[in-house]
Amino acid sequence: MLRKLHHEVRPAHRRAVDLSHPARSPLGSAVVKCIVYQDGERRPGAATPGAAIEQARTVDNGFVWIGLHEPTEAEFADLADLFDLHPLAVEDAVHAHQRPKVERYGDVLFSVFKTVRYVEHEELTATSEVVDTGELMVFTGTDFVITIRHGAHGSLGPLREALEQAPDQLAKGPSAVLHAIADHVVDDYLLVADAVQSDIDTAETAVFSEDRDHIDVGQIYQLKREILELKRAVSPLDRPLQTLATAPSALVDSDIRPYFRDVTDHLTHVAEQICAFDALIDSILQAHLAQVSIAQNEDMRKISAWVAIIAVPTMVCGIYGMNFDYMPELHWTYGYPLALGAIAVACLALHRGFRRVGWL
């Protein structure tokens, strides 16, 4: 019931998924958008990246924002030549699977962000995918921003529209776009962390409930792996954001730098939250293993008690079953009832003794 309630309530607090920004467009097999801005206002025209940068450089306070989705080397080669991008950064942008970072190549900043998405599921299993990750690369120059997205999620369409509603902020140039992207990515970290919290609460409740027979330790391990995936996205980003927030740079507007400090604060918060998740999952796992060990000890005590009780008739019957001609009371009329009575009394005494110490 609680799981269904979380499933119904959570989407109301999420950023809406934008379906109006296709991954591919007539601008090129990988180019999603190519837009020129002047003084924070969107300018019409500029159908190609070449025409866009030429237009941006003929106006005051203008820049171009080009968005791509999973370009190949051939698709990105012309853009790399047009904007004189460093070959190492181009290689990282095309092949993806990079660690979050911010590097400077001459007059260009190359930033890598890990994007995350929470995967909705009715019930956590040993194979459930909880966190889906992608990558977002950003080239930031004095008059251009190039974004490369890898993965099925993390569309920047809604972010672009939100920025266009704040022309004063967008007028600060490419660094304003870089800040907005960093803020967007970190906000998604916070949303995913809040969603993962409900999975951890569910696992914790299940471990400490009275009915623990249905718990699969694989579920806890899977949740720990997914938290580790989230940690890999969040932790390496701290130092790059600190650099953008504190180190003076001609590529980052002085008015934008304080905004990066705010993003860094949010990142620190979610990093601490994830570390707490990791420690809590370890505690839940240890508690579950301890409960399993205790249950096994209880079973072993019960088995040992019953073995001790059964050993009495086994021993007596074994002795009298040896078929010797001369044995005590063998030909006595009451020998058989006496042996059965002695067995019953011994077994009853052992049973009561084990019950008294809690073994049965």
Side-chain angles (χ1 to χ4, degrees):
M1 180 66 72
L2 289 175
R3 185 70 193 167
K4 291 183 178 179
L5 182 61
H6 279 299
H7 179 73
E8 295 295 330
V9 173
R10 188 182 299 132
H13 301 284
R14 296 277 183 86
R15 184 182 295 107
V17 176
D18 178 69
L19 301 178
S20 64
H21 297 80
R24 304 282 166 169
S25 78
L27 293 175
S29 59
V31 177
V32 179
K33 287 288 184 180
C34 178
I35 300 174
V36 176
Y37 295 94
Q38 181 184 10
D39 293 324
E41 299 288 345
R42 182 172 181 165
R43 292 178 62 90
T48 65
I53 190 60
E54 183 178 352
Q55 181 180 349
R57 289 171 178 173
T58 58
V59 298
D60 294 331
N61 198 24
F63 71 94
V64 61
W65 182 355
I66 302 172
L68 301 94
H69 180 259
E70 297 183 355
T72 63
E73 291 184 12
E75 290 171 335
F76 197 56
D78 291 339
L79 273 179
D81 292 338
L82 179 62
F83 292 97
D84 193 25
L85 304 178
H86 196 281
L88 291 176
V90 171
E91 182 181 359
D92 289 348
V94 171
H95 294 98
H97 304 295
Q98 303 299 315
R99 195 169 186 266
K101 60 184 178 180
V102 174
E103 296 177 338
R104 181 165 182 170
Y105 295 94
D107 294 331
V108 177
L109 278 180
F110 176 61
S111 309
V112 178
F113 302 96
K114 285 280 190 181
T115 58
V116 298
R117 178 179 66 91
Y118 179 78
V119 181
E120 296 286 353
H121 48 272
E122 288 293 335
E123 183 180 358
L124 182 67
T125 67
T127 58
S128 294
E129 184 180 18
V130 178
V131 179
D132 182 24
T133 61
E135 290 185 50
L136 185 61
M137 285 79 166
V138 186
F139 289 92
T140 310
T142 55
D143 53 11
F144 68 87
V145 176
I146 301 175
T147 56
I148 302 100
R149 180 167 60 89
H150 292 268
H153 65 279
S155 171
L156 296 178
L159 174 65
R160 187 192 300 270
E161 293 170 0
L163 272 174
E164 290 176 356
Q165 299 301 315
D168 292 340
Q169 184 76 356
L170 195 55
K172 293 181 174 65
S175 59
V177 177
L178 180 60
H179 158 261
I181 291 173
D183 188 53
H184 171 82
V185 169
V186 173
D187 282 348
D188 281 346
Y189 293 162
L190 291 167
L191 290 174
V192 171
D194 289 342
V196 170
Q197 175 74 65
S198 67
D199 283 322
I200 296 176
D201 292 342
T202 301
E204 185 178 21
T205 301
V207 166
F208 291 101
S209 65
E210 294 183 359
D211 183 16
R212 298 189 294 267
D213 295 337
H214 66 283
I215 298 175
D216 181 7
V217 70
Q219 300 173 7
I220 304 176
Y221 274 116
Q222 177 65 13
L223 189 55
K224 184 172 178 61
R225 283 195 297 267
E226 294 298 306
I227 291 173
L228 181 60
E229 187 73 17
L230 182 59
K231 189 175 183 179
R232 289 197 190 104
V234 173
S235 298
L237 195 56
D238 180 65
R239 185 178 294 276
L241 287 182
Q242 289 282 1
T243 301
L244 291 173
T246 58
S249 172
L251 296 173
V252 179
D253 190 281
S254 58
D255 292 335
I256 295 296
R257 198 169 296 122
Y259 291 94
F260 278 112
R261 287 199 293 269
D262 180 66
V263 176
T264 303
D265 289 342
H266 292 167
L267 183 73
T268 301
H269 171 73
V270 71
E272 292 173 350
Q273 194 173 4
I274 292 170
C275 287
F277 288 167
D278 197 25
L280 182 56
I281 284 294
D282 284 339
S283 298
I284 292 173
L285 182 60
Q286 292 299 322
H288 176 63
L289 295 178
Q291 289 174 343
V292 170
S293 178
I294 291 172
Q296 290 176 342
N297 289 338
E298 291 178 354
D299 292 339
M300 287 301 299
R301 285 199 299 266
K302 291 179 181 179
I303 293 172
S304 299
W306 283 112
V307 167
I309 293 172
I310 295 173
V312 173
T314 302
M315 180 183 65
V316 174
C317 295
I319 293 173
Y320 276 90
M322 289 188 291
N323 297 320
F324 290 118
D325 289 336
Y326 301 101
M327 295 184 68
E329 317 300 341
L330 188 62
H331 300 287
W332 185 39
T333 303
Y334 301 103
Y336 180 66
L338 178 63
L340 292 181
I343 291 173
V345 170
C347 290
L348 180 61
L350 286 173
H351 185 273
R352 294 187 63 180
F354 287 132
R355 285 288 298 272
R356 188 177 300 111
V357 298
W359 283 36
L360 290 174

